[in-house]
Amino acid sequence: MALRDELLKSIWYAFTALDVDKSGKVSKSQLKVTDNFDLQDFNKMCWTLSSRKNLERSQLLISNDDAFKIWCIFNFLSEDRYPLIIVTEEIEYFLRKLTEAMGGSWVEERFEDYKLKLSSNQQCLNAWELISLVGSGHFSKGMDRQTLSMAISEVYQELILDVLKQGYMMKKGHKRKNWTERWFMLKPSCISYYVGEDLAEKKGDILLDGNCGVEPLQDKDGKKCLFLIRSSQKSFEISASDKKKKQEWIQAVQTCVNLLRQGRPAPHREARQKRRDLRLKQQAEQEELELRMRELQTANEAKQLELENMRKALEEAAANAAEEEKRRLQTQTELQDRYRMDLEREKMVRQQMEEQVAQKSTELEQYLQRVRELEDMYHQLEDALEDERHARQDEEAVRKLQARLLEEEAMKRAELEQIHLRQQLAISETEAEKQELERERLAKESALQAAMQQLEQLEQERQGALEQYQTVMKKLEDATNNTKTWKHKVAQHEGLLRLIQPGSKGQQRITNWGPAAFSDAELSLREKQWQEMKNQAAQAP
């Protein structure tokens, strides 16, 4: 179950990084399934996906590998709820371990000042904030980067790789019985030993279970600080560097054996679970206390509200009594004032009635005058309506005429637009023909220029050929003169020698030593003689 929770945390980071549009879904093409599963490689893959998007490396004093180890430690110490966070208690635990690994002393005041900087509602950090906190060097002042990196690796090996103890010791061989220095690494279920602390070459494992035992040995063979580890398969004799190291290793191995017998996890994992259980318990107690406080506060508010209502009721009753007394006195005063005002109103009403009668008579005269004026206005209105009817008829005729004129104008405008379109089309065609003619003119000019260039080149070639012809004619003339001179000389010596006439040159034979020194006829004659000699040799007794 613990492995599942750790895998879910890494997977959550990977899916969050792949979920670009934050829709809660990831495409299958973004996922990769592997057959060979390795937890560290898996964490490395999830770290690569998420760190590119969330980690700002420019201000960090640590390497990418150290940041990855802090990310794994964060996943180990974070709460089992999403989005993942680490509370201040686990931050203090991690920073204490880191400070101890660097060989420094823990400064409580510095961490308290840092806690005050955090928001009161956010007493926690996410993974990238924790990496920035460690990478900024706020809690590692005075330490170089190598010391900080070694401390991060040591805490990573303890919390993530479950390395409870490691160091160099001498081990006695089982076959040759020689002592060899090895790097030992103690985990809850085994002790692995390597050639060096770089873990490049692993030499073997000592498997631990509930039946294993560890016991000190007396010094022998010139070796001191000896102890024996008995496993179910064989026993191992080991020599520590000093008594303190010997005792530490014996206690560490015995602790692992006891944990295996009791079926308990590694101490740091058990401590983490205890801290979580304690936080959950404290959180439950805090919630229960807050619930009781809310209930008490609700009851107190109800009591306060009841007292306030009673006070308001008493004040309201007193106010009502005073208001009733005031209303009674006011009513009595109002009745006296009303009686006096009624008398005055009756006198005023009598005077108003008389004034109204006189006013009504005047209004009646005015009304009759207005009736007569309205009759005159009625006759004038009838005359105006008759004039308006005639005007409307004239207006209708004029509107029809305007409509006909507008229709004719629209037809004319349509004809003009068609004429304009034909003109535009003719202009476009003319422009296209003009451009085509221009292109043809340019092409002909180009062809003419090319022909002129060819003509000039031919003229130059003709001049060259003419010069060559003249040179050849001159040579021919010289050769003719020479021939005539030689023929004359031959004619003079005709009885002494015979002219050798040029004849057809036969095909030349090629031998292994080069061109042959005889012709085809000579070759045939020699073949014939050789055949006769062969026949004579065969006929001789």
Side-chain angles (χ1 to χ4, degrees):
M1 193 65 179
L3 178 60
R4 176 180 175 274
D5 294 336
E6 293 180 10
L7 291 177
L8 285 178
K9 291 179 180 180
S10 300
I11 291 171
W12 178 79
Y13 277 108
F15 271 69
T16 305
L18 293 175
D19 186 11
V20 180
D21 54 0
K22 298 182 179 180
S23 62
K25 299 179 180 179
V26 177
S27 174
K28 289 182 179 179
S29 61
Q30 296 176 280
L31 303 179
K32 181 180 179 182
V33 180
T34 59
D35 296 332
N36 299 324
F37 176 79
D38 182 76
L39 179 58
Q40 191 169 2
D41 293 341
F42 179 78
N43 288 335
K44 200 76 174 180
M45 179 189 67
C46 296
W47 157 259
T48 303
L49 289 174
S50 58
S51 62
R52 293 176 181 174
K53 183 178 180 182
N54 299 287
L55 184 60
E56 181 63 35
R57 297 184 174 86
S58 58
Q59 303 297 329
L60 297 182
L61 302 177
I62 57 177
S63 64
N64 185 66
D65 186 57
D66 292 336
F68 163 70
K69 292 176 181 178
I70 296 174
W71 180 75
C72 294
I73 295 171
F74 170 86
N75 291 340
F76 175 74
L77 297 177
S78 62
E79 301 299 301
D80 292 334
R81 61 176 184 268
Y82 298 89
L84 295 175
I85 59 170
I86 181 172
V87 297
T88 54
E89 181 183 359
E90 299 296 338
I91 297 173
E92 181 179 4
Y93 171 78
F94 169 58
L95 293 178
R96 279 180 181 272
K97 300 284 288 185
L98 192 62
T99 304
E100 293 173 0
M102 289 188 294
S105 58
W106 175 251
V107 182
E108 188 71 28
E109 292 78 8
R110 184 182 298 175
F111 185 73
E112 292 298 329
D113 293 339
Y114 176 74
K115 285 173 63 176
L116 293 176
K117 294 180 182 179
L118 294 177
S119 173
S120 58
N121 296 328
Q122 183 189 354
Q123 292 291 325
C124 58
L125 296 176
N126 59 28
W128 317 115
E129 292 171 344
L130 181 63
I131 294 173
S132 299
L133 175 63
V134 178
S136 64
H138 182 71
F139 288 92
S140 59
K141 293 181 179 179
M143 302 291 179
D144 56 8
R145 295 190 177 185
Q146 185 178 2
T147 303
L148 178 59
S149 177
M150 292 174 64
I152 293 173
S153 298
E154 183 176 341
V155 177
Y156 172 79
Q157 289 179 354
E158 178 182 352
L159 298 183
I160 306 303
L161 302 181
D162 294 337
V163 178
L164 304 181
K165 191 170 182 58
Q166 55 185 345
Y168 279 108
M169 291 190 297
M170 302 294 291
K171 173 186 166 297
K172 185 177 181 180
H174 290 88
K175 294 181 179 180
R176 292 187 293 179
K177 305 299 180 181
N178 58 334
W179 291 87
T180 310
E181 186 180 39
R182 300 295 185 211
W183 177 264
F184 286 83
M185 183 179 292
L186 174 62
K187 294 185 178 181
S189 59
C190 69
I191 303 175
S192 301
Y193 50 95
Y194 302 82
V195 172
E197 58 183 307
D198 56 355
L199 310 182
E201 183 179 354
K202 187 176 182 180
K203 302 301 292 183
D205 291 317
I206 303 175
L207 301 179
L208 301 178
D209 53 25
N211 299 322
C212 292
V214 57
E215 59 185 22
L217 294 178
Q218 296 295 326
D219 298 343
K220 62 178 180 178
D221 299 335
K223 297 296 180 182
K224 298 181 179 181
C225 305
L226 298 175
F227 62 94
L228 178 69
I229 300 177
R230 289 183 289 97
S231 66
S232 57
Q233 297 177 351
K234 59 178 71 174
S235 298
F236 297 85
E237 293 185 16
I238 299 174
S239 173
S241 59
D242 52 43
K243 293 182 179 180
K244 182 180 177 182
K245 295 287 185 181
K246 169 185 174 181
Q247 192 62 31
E248 289 177 354
W249 274 98
I250 291 175
Q251 291 179 356
V253 174
Q254 189 62 49
T255 300
C256 292
V257 173
N258 294 335
L259 292 175
L260 291 172
R261 289 174 182 172
Q262 299 171 9
R264 292 162 54 192
H268 60 275
R269 295 184 181 273
E270 188 175 13
R272 179 194 63 173
Q273 191 60 40
K274 287 182 179 179
R275 291 195 301 274
R276 286 186 179 178
D277 295 341
L278 181 59
R279 281 199 301 273
L280 292 175
K281 182 179 179 181
Q282 291 176 350
Q283 184 178 0
E285 291 176 353
Q286 183 69 20
E287 291 177 354
E288 183 179 358
L289 181 59
E290 290 178 357
L291 179 60
R292 292 183 60 187
M293 290 296 293
R294 284 196 297 269
E295 291 176 354
L296 292 174
Q297 185 177 0
T298 303
N300 188 22
E301 290 176 355
K303 290 291 184 182
Q304 291 290 339
L305 183 60
E306 185 178 355
L307 292 174
E308 185 68 20
N309 292 334
M310 291 176 65
R311 186 182 62 80
K312 288 182 179 180
L314 291 174
E315 290 178 354
E316 186 177 357
N320 290 336
E323 186 70 24
E324 186 67 25
E325 181 65 19
K326 183 179 179 181
R327 194 182 298 114
R328 188 182 63 80
L329 295 175
Q330 186 178 1
T331 302
Q332 185 177 359
T333 305
E334 288 176 355
L335 288 175
Q336 292 176 357
D337 294 339
R338 190 181 299 171
Y339 179 70
R340 187 172 58 255
M341 291 176 63
D342 287 344
L343 292 176
E344 293 177 357
R345 190 182 296 112
E346 185 178 355
K347 187 185 295 186
M348 292 176 62
V349 167
R350 187 181 295 112
Q351 293 176 359
Q352 290 176 359
M353 289 295 292
E354 292 175 356
E355 292 175 357
Q356 287 179 2
V357 169
Q359 186 179 0
K360 290 294 183 182
S361 300
T362 305
E363 290 177 357
L364 180 60
E365 290 294 333
Q366 293 176 356
Y367 177 73
L368 293 175
Q369 181 66 26
R370 190 176 296 172
V371 169
R372 287 192 292 270
E373 291 175 357
L374 288 174
E375 289 178 353
D376 294 338
M377 290 175 65
Y378 177 74
H379 292 303
Q380 293 175 4
L381 182 61
E382 287 182 347
D383 295 338
L385 289 173
E386 186 66 23
D387 293 340
E388 183 180 2
R389 186 169 59 252
H390 290 300
R392 285 184 178 178
Q393 291 176 357
D394 296 340
E395 182 183 3
E396 185 68 22
V398 172
R399 186 181 292 113
K400 291 180 180 179
L401 179 60
Q402 289 179 350
R404 184 169 56 80
L405 292 175
L406 288 173
E407 184 177 357
E408 292 177 356
E409 183 180 358
M411 293 174 61
K412 291 292 185 180
R413 184 175 296 172
E415 292 176 359
L416 288 174
E417 289 179 354
Q418 292 179 358
I419 293 171
H420 179 69
L421 291 174
R422 287 196 295 273
Q423 289 178 352
Q424 292 291 335
L425 182 62
I427 290 171
S428 301
E429 293 176 354
T430 304
E431 186 68 22
E433 292 176 356
K434 183 178 179 181
Q435 294 178 357
E436 183 66 26
L437 291 173
E438 184 66 20
R439 285 194 295 270
E440 292 179 358
R441 185 182 66 79
L442 293 175
K444 289 180 178 180
E445 287 181 358
S446 300
L448 180 60
Q449 292 178 358
M452 291 295 293
Q453 292 177 357
Q454 292 179 358
L455 183 61
E456 291 177 358
Q457 186 176 2
L458 291 174
E459 182 65 22
Q460 293 175 359
E461 292 177 355
R462 187 184 68 79
Q463 291 291 338
L466 181 60
E467 292 176 357
Q468 292 179 0
Y469 175 74
Q470 291 176 357
T471 302
V472 171
M473 289 298 295
K474 187 176 180 180
K475 290 181 179 181
L476 182 61
E477 185 177 354
D478 294 339
T480 303
N481 294 331
N482 293 332
T483 303
K484 288 181 179 180
T485 302
W486 279 103
K487 284 183 178 181
H488 179 71
K489 290 181 178 181
V490 168
Q492 293 178 358
H493 302 83
E494 184 176 2
L496 300 177
L497 52 87
R498 180 174 55 89
L499 290 175
I500 300 174
Q501 299 294 332
S504 60
K505 188 175 182 180
Q507 185 176 4
Q508 188 177 15
R509 293 288 179 177
I510 301 299
T511 65
N512 292 335
W513 298 275
F518 43 83
S519 62
D520 292 339
E522 292 175 347
L523 179 63
S524 299
L525 180 60
R526 291 193 178 190
E527 288 180 352
K528 185 175 181 180
Q529 292 176 357
W530 179 78
Q531 189 67 34
E532 290 177 355
M533 291 173 63
K534 185 178 180 180
N535 294 334
Q536 291 176 4
Q539 293 176 2

